[in-house]
Amino acid sequence: MKTLLWFHRDLRTHDHSGLNWCLENGHEVVALVCRPFVESSNFKLQFWNECVSELKQNLSTAGIPLFISETSALETIPPLIEEYGIKHIITHRRMNQRDRMEVAQVIECCAIEVKELGDLTLYESRLEQELSLDLLKPFTKFKKFAEANWTVPDELSRHQKISIAPYQEKSWLTGGESAGLQRLHDYVHVTHACLNYHETRNGMLERDDSSKFSFWLAWGALSPRRIYHELRTLEKVVGPCQGIQALIYELVWRDYFKFLAKISGESFFDLEGIQHRSREYIQNTELLERWRRGETGDDFVDANMRELKLTGFMSNRGRQNVASYFAKNLCLDWTLGVKWFEEQLIDEDPENNWGNWQYLAGVGTDPRDRIFDVQKQALAYDSQGIYRRRWLGETIELQDRILSLLAIRSQESSICPSEVLPPEDKKNKQRMDEVRSAARRLNAIGVIGIYQKGEKIDPNLVRGPIRLKKT
């Protein structure tokens, strides 16, 4: 029997229910994966491409072709059914309403059996039938219920027909199943960095400050159950350990938002959130662009936003701060922040992205509706300013040069951005862009004004030469 195995956020061959089911039942399998259709950063697409490339190679060891589609599943699947005489579609269980709607549309369009096998969760996704929205508010209630009533299933053995390509290190952050498994092995069994996770997890500078498993978890290149059982294996050797417990705690948090998405339906994506709470938001394109570019004038926020733009990653500590700042300090529509993260983050996970933003915007399940004091957080987690200097170092130096030049001019005098640079750099576009960025940060905090043809101008509307002037 010919079966279409529709991959989505499960780009792996280990612990894969759908793949095992097809092979154990002797089905002739054709596999499909569709490229993500939200606007995506190059970092995100590169990681996804690496995951898919390795998946294609691994599936080929069992004689399974993988089609990589540039169009949606609804556009791609009907022609495949007709061409290959497909009788079944197998795909993993979806947890949010938008992904479930896509499956429902395929079912309606194709009129053949679609079987959902396999979870992206630690616990069985079908257990959501035992939950209510009340049991998911707050997180601690869900955690206690899950630990008292549920168990983590055993990981499925990889089918004997499948071989995983050996890991070949290009950089430590490489997409693909073998890279995810290697990262897990190194972090848990080689460096034992997981033992100190509870102490290092708020670090923002080093690779092993946190596990970084989220890159591979987001695309299903690494199973959460594999992580859980590897941690429990180590725990049998070293005994009870805070670091291991803290990592498992994070896996439960990950499940929490997935179950919350499943139960709350479309309200999970609403501006009012699952609380149906109306808040006042302002519409300000300039503020939005400043935040995106890391030019708000707040060093801690800007450093995190620069890291995101330049690497496709931001620490959990950073994410909480920039999201709180966006929703509570700038009072901007938090769903715009979600969409920027969705576009930029390599490890973007829809349920955790939307769930965390709701939580921090005060329309989700945070019972305290907290506001992060960003300056206090910077002192607590970057007391020496090392993180901020790493991502803003040159910008801060250029800001100082701008202010120094203006300090020796009269109040009415202005300077050209090129005056900030040495002669050999004046025609260097990248260096000039940095000067302009430094100027926009100073403008954001009201220290200087940006002028064009003698008139003060919104930095987002600048086209052509500008001058800088003390306010």
Side-chain angles (χ1 to χ4, degrees), residues 2 7 20 47 60 108 136 208 251 264 268 283 294 298 312 381 388 442 452:
K2 291 188 177 179
F7 284 89
N20 279 20
F47 192 88
S60 70
E108 182 179 359
L136 289 161
D208 283 350
L251 290 174
S264 59
F268 193 70
Q283 302 294 323
D298 185 289
Y381 298 105
R388 280 165 284 176
L442 290 172
Q452 198 165 51

Side-chain angles (χ1 to χ4, degrees), residues 39-147:
E39 291 185 16
S40 300
S41 68
N42 290 334
F43 299 110
K44 180 178 177 179
L45 284 177
Q46 179 180 336
F47 192 88
W48 183 88
N49 283 329
E50 289 167 350
C51 288
V52 169
S53 177
E54 186 175 314
L55 177 65
K56 185 181 181 76
Q57 182 179 350
N58 294 341
L59 290 175
S60 70
T61 65
I64 299 174
L66 174 65
F67 292 93
I68 303 166
S69 176
E70 299 292 332
T71 58
S72 69
L74 192 59
E75 294 174 271
T76 304
I77 289 177
L80 282 177
I81 290 174
E82 184 175 349
E83 182 176 353
Y84 289 93
I86 303 294
K87 302 300 181 185
H88 290 90
I89 298 174
I90 306 294
T91 194
H92 71 74
R93 297 188 189 98
R94 308 296 201 268
M95 297 300 283
N96 71 72
Q97 180 69 15
R98 293 180 180 177
D99 286 347
R100 294 207 307 277
M101 281 296 297
E102 183 181 41
V103 175
Q105 290 170 347
V106 168
I107 292 172
E108 182 179 359
C109 174
C110 300
I112 64 172
E113 182 185 11
V114 177
K115 188 186 293 288
E116 292 184 277
L117 295 174
D119 303 311
L120 301 184
T121 47
L122 185 64
Y123 297 111
E124 287 189 69
S125 61
R126 286 179 294 190
L127 292 172
E128 57 91 9
Q129 298 167 8
E130 300 176 18
L131 295 173
S132 64
L133 202 52
D134 181 62
L135 270 173
L136 289 161
K137 295 192 292 188
F139 165 73
T140 50
K141 190 183 289 189
F142 166 77
K143 181 176 180 290
K144 289 176 182 176
F145 175 84
E147 290 176 343

Side-chain angles (χ1 to χ4, degrees), residues 258-276:
K258 291 189 177 294
F259 282 107
L260 184 63
K262 186 76 177 288
I263 287 177
S264 59
E266 191 57 37
S267 68
F268 193 70
F269 299 102
D270 288 346
L271 180 63
E272 293 79 14
I274 64 169
Q275 290 191 30
H276 307 290

Side-chain angles (χ1 to χ4, degrees), residues 376-389:
K376 186 176 179 180
Q377 290 269 309
L379 287 173
Y381 298 105
D382 187 34
S383 59
Q384 303 301 312
I386 298 171
Y387 174 80
R388 280 165 284 176
R389 283 196 297 275

Side-chain angles (χ1 to χ4, degrees), residues 219-267:
W219 297 106
L222 186 59
S223 161
R225 293 172 190 167
R226 168 66 71 92
I227 296 171
Y228 175 87
H229 290 299
E230 292 290 330
L231 290 170
R232 289 301 191 197
T233 297
L234 179 62
E235 189 177 46
K236 290 175 183 177
V237 176
V238 302
C241 171
Q242 281 186 289
I244 290 174
Q245 288 303 316
L247 261 172
I248 291 173
Y249 178 87
E250 297 299 341
L251 290 174
V252 177
W253 258 111
R254 180 177 178 273
D255 263 26
Y256 172 69
F257 283 124
K258 291 189 177 294
F259 282 107
L260 184 63
K262 186 76 177 288
I263 287 177
S264 59
E266 191 57 37
S267 68

Side-chain angles (χ1 to χ4, degrees), residues 328-355:
K328 302 289 181 61
N329 294 72
L330 299 181
C331 299
L332 295 170
D333 175 347
W334 64 272
T335 65
L336 299 177
V338 176
K339 289 168 185 173
W340 184 247
F341 272 27
E342 189 174 62
E343 178 180 325
Q344 297 296 316
L345 284 170
I346 297 170
D347 61 353
E348 177 266 326
D349 172 293
E351 294 85 13
N352 281 266
N353 189 28
W354 282 87

Side-chain angles (χ1 to χ4, degrees), residues 285-297:
T285 303
E286 181 182 353
L287 282 181
L288 174 62
E289 289 305 316
R290 283 182 192 170
W291 178 82
R292 284 176 173 174
R293 292 192 304 244
E295 294 171 357
T296 68

